[in-house]
Amino acid sequence: MISKNQWRVIAITLAVALLVVSFLTGVMGIVDNLGSVKETQGAYTDFRDELDALKENDAFLAEGKAEYDSAKSEYDSEYAAYEDEYGKYEDAELQYNKDVLEYNTQLIAYSAGKNALGGSADSAVSEGKSKLDEGWKLYNEGKAAYDAGVAEFESRKQEYEKGLSMYEYLLNAIEALEASGMSHDEALAAVGAQAGIELSDEYIAQMKAGIDSAQALIPEAEAKLAEGKAQLDSAYEQLMLGEAGLETAETKLAEANAQLNSMRSSIAGGPARLDAQGQSVSESKAGLDERKAELDAKAEELSVYEDVSEKVSRARDKLIDEGFGGSDDSTEQLISAAGAHEAQLRSEYLKSIISFILTYAGHLLAVAAATAALLLLRKNRLPAALRLSVIGVALGLISVIASIVFGDLDTLAFAAAVLTAIGVGLSAAPDGNE
C-alpha cells in the first residue's frame, strides 16, 4: 500500500513537472494570444475613431455650412468675373502678337525690298538684257551649226543612195549573167569589166557591209537633227519669253518702287503703337495675377470645408457599405445605427482583454505561488507554504474560469497548483513510517 509520504513525493514531483510545463505554456499562450487581443482592440478603436471623426466632421460641416455657402457663392462669382477678364486679356495678347508679327513681316518685306531695289534691281535688269543678247548670239550660232549639219546629212544620204543603187545594179547584173549560163566567176569578171572595177565576192560583201552601216546611221543622224531642231525651237521660245520677261521686269521694277514708298509710310508709326499696346497687355496680366492670387487664397480656405465634406462622404459610404443604413439616411441616423456595433466591439474588446489578463495573470501567478510554496516547503516553513499553495489553487481556478471566457481553455496551472497544495498538505502531516 502506498504511504502518505509516497503520495506526497508523487504529488510534489508531478507538481514540479507541471509547474515547468505551465510556465512555458503560459509564456507561449501570452505570445500566441496577444495578437488576437490586439486585433480585437484594433477593430474596436479603429471603428470608434472613425465614428468620433465622423461626428466631429459632421458637426463642423453643420456649423460652418452657412458661412461656406456664402463664401463659395462669392468665390464663384469672382472667379467667373476673373475668367471673363482673362479671356479678354488672352484676346488682347493674341491681337498684340498678331500685330507684332504683321509689323515684323512688313518691316522684313520693306527691308528686303529696299535692299533689292537699292541698285541690285536695276543691275539685274541690265544683266538680264545682257544675258538675253548673249542668248540670241548663241542661238544664231547654234542655228548656223544646225543648218550645216542638215546640209552634210543630205550630202551623206545622197552618197548612201548612190552606193545602194550601185550595189543593187551589180547584184542584178551578176544574177542575170548566171541565169544565162555563165559561171559565178565569169559573171563577176564580166560585170566588173563593164563597171570598170575588179569585182569579187569579198568586194561585194564589203560594199554590202558599208551600205548596212550607213543605213543604220541614218535614223540616229535624223534623231540627232530632230533633237537639235527641238533644242533650237525651245531656245527660241525661251528667248522670246526672256524678251517678254525683261519688259515685264522693267514694269514691275517701277511698281515695286511705288509699293516700297507706300510700305515705308505704313510702318512709320508702328513701334510707338506696339509699345503702347504691349504695355497695356502687361498691365492687364499683372492685375489678373494679383486677382488670381487672391482667388487661390480664398480657394485654399474653402478647401478646408470641402476636404472635411469629402471625408464625411467617404465615411458615410463606408458605413452604408457595411450595412448600417442607406444613401437616403442622414449622417446622424448612420452614426446611431453604427453605435450599437461600436458598443458590441467595445464589449468584445473588454471581454477579451479582461479574460486575457485574468487567464495569463492567474496562470503565471498560480505558477509563481505554487513554486514559492514548494520553496518554503523545502525550508520547512509549512504554514506559509500551505497558504501560498491555497492561493495558487485559487489563482489557477481564476485562470481556468477566465480561459473558458477567453475561448482558450487553460488548466495546467490549476492542476500544478492543486498538486502543489496536495504535496504541501501531505507534508503538514507526514507518515509515521517516514
Side-chain angles (χ1 to χ4, degrees):
M1 181 177 179
I2 300 175
S3 66
K4 185 182 295 186
N5 187 53
Q6 289 175 324
W7 280 115
R8 181 178 69 83
V9 173
I10 292 171
I12 292 174
T13 302
L14 292 175
V16 171
L18 283 178
L19 286 172
V20 174
V21 175
S22 296
F23 176 77
L24 295 176
T25 57
V27 174
M28 293 174 61
I30 291 173
V31 174
D32 293 339
N33 293 296
L34 185 59
S36 175
V37 173
K38 289 184 176 180
E39 183 178 346
T40 304
Q41 179 188 15
Y44 163 65
T45 56
D46 289 346
F47 192 79
R48 179 199 63 196
D49 293 344
E50 289 176 3
L51 282 185
D52 290 344
L54 179 57
K55 293 175 185 177
E56 181 180 350
N57 290 335
D58 189 57
F60 174 82
L61 294 180
E63 181 181 352
K65 188 175 188 309
E67 182 180 354
Y68 169 78
D69 290 342
S70 176
K72 184 67 166 64
S73 176
E74 180 182 352
Y75 171 82
D76 291 341
S77 176
E78 291 180 358
Y79 192 81
Y82 165 80
E83 286 191 323
D84 182 62
E85 290 297 323
Y86 196 86
K88 293 178 181 178
Y89 155 74
E90 288 182 326
D91 292 340
E93 183 185 34
L94 179 61
Q95 185 61 48
Y96 170 71
N97 291 333
K98 287 182 178 179
D99 291 345
V100 170
L101 179 61
E102 182 179 357
Y103 172 78
N104 289 334
T105 302
Q106 290 178 346
L107 186 62
I108 292 172
Y110 172 76
S111 298
K114 184 179 180 182
N115 292 333
L117 298 178
S120 59
D122 289 335
S123 63
V125 171
S126 299
E127 184 179 353
K129 190 173 185 308
S130 175
K131 287 184 178 180
L132 191 61
D133 292 340
E134 180 68 21
W136 280 115
K137 178 182 178 183
L138 293 175
Y139 169 77
N140 292 330
E141 292 176 354
K143 191 171 186 307
Y146 170 76
D147 292 340
V150 171
E152 184 179 357
F153 172 75
E154 293 296 337
S155 175
R156 295 292 180 88
K157 188 176 181 182
Q158 289 178 2
E159 290 178 3
Y160 160 73
E161 290 174 348
K162 287 172 63 178
L164 179 61
S165 297
M166 183 65 178
Y167 173 74
E168 291 176 347
Y169 166 75
L170 292 175
L171 287 181
N172 291 332
I174 292 170
E175 290 178 356
L177 291 176
E178 287 177 345
S180 66
M182 280 189 182
S183 65
H184 180 67
D185 291 338
E186 290 173 343
L188 286 174
V191 172
Q194 186 180 0
I197 58 177
E198 186 177 349
L199 192 61
S200 65
D201 288 336
E202 182 179 358
Y203 181 88
I204 292 173
Q206 291 177 350
M207 190 175 184
K208 176 67 168 59
I211 290 171
D212 291 342
S213 176
Q215 186 179 17
L217 293 174
I218 288 174
E220 180 179 353
E222 289 176 339
K224 288 184 177 180
L225 288 173
E227 180 181 356
K229 180 66 167 58
Q231 291 177 350
L232 284 173
D233 292 343
S234 176
Y236 181 80
E237 292 178 1
Q238 294 296 323
L239 288 170
M240 292 305 295
L241 290 174
E243 291 286 356
L246 181 62
E247 183 179 352
T248 302
E250 290 173 344
T251 301
K252 288 185 175 180
L253 181 61
E255 293 175 352
N257 279 314
Q259 185 178 7
L260 191 63
N261 292 331
S262 175
M263 290 175 64
R264 182 173 61 250
S265 299
S266 175
I267 63 177
R273 175 176 55 83
L274 290 175
D275 287 344
Q277 190 177 356
Q279 180 67 25
S280 176
V281 170
S282 297
E283 290 175 355
S284 297
K285 182 63 168 61
L288 287 170
D289 289 342
E290 291 180 2
R291 292 182 62 183
K292 184 62 167 61
E294 294 173 357
L295 288 171
D296 288 344
K298 291 184 178 181
E300 184 67 24
E301 295 176 358
L302 292 174
S303 68
V304 175
Y305 185 91
E306 291 166 353
D307 290 344
V308 173
S309 179
E310 178 63 23
K311 291 178 181 179
V312 169
S313 178
R314 288 198 301 267
R316 279 178 52 85
D317 291 341
K318 185 174 181 181
L319 291 179
I320 291 171
D321 292 341
E322 292 175 355
F324 295 111
S327 58
D328 295 334
D329 294 331
S330 66
T331 303
E332 291 181 357
Q333 290 173 324
L334 292 174
I335 292 174
S336 177
H341 183 63
E342 180 192 8
Q344 179 185 352
L345 291 176
R346 181 173 62 250
S347 176
E348 291 176 357
Y349 165 63
L350 292 175
K351 174 183 174 182
S352 174
I353 189 66
I354 292 172
S355 59
F356 175 80
I357 293 173
L358 291 177
T359 295
Y360 291 105
H363 181 105
L364 294 178
L365 289 174
V367 171
T371 303
L374 292 177
L375 292 174
L376 291 174
L377 177 62
R378 187 175 181 182
K379 296 178 180 180
N380 293 322
R381 296 173 59 185
L382 291 176
L386 186 59
R387 285 194 301 273
L388 281 177
S389 65
V390 172
I391 292 172
V393 171
L395 291 172
L397 182 59
I398 292 173
S399 175
V400 171
I401 296 172
S403 67
I404 294 173
V405 175
F406 187 66
D408 186 15
L409 184 60
D410 180 19
T411 60
L412 284 177
F414 177 66
V418 169
L419 288 173
T420 299
I422 292 173
V424 172
L426 292 174
S427 298
D431 191 354
N433 296 326
E434 186 177 359

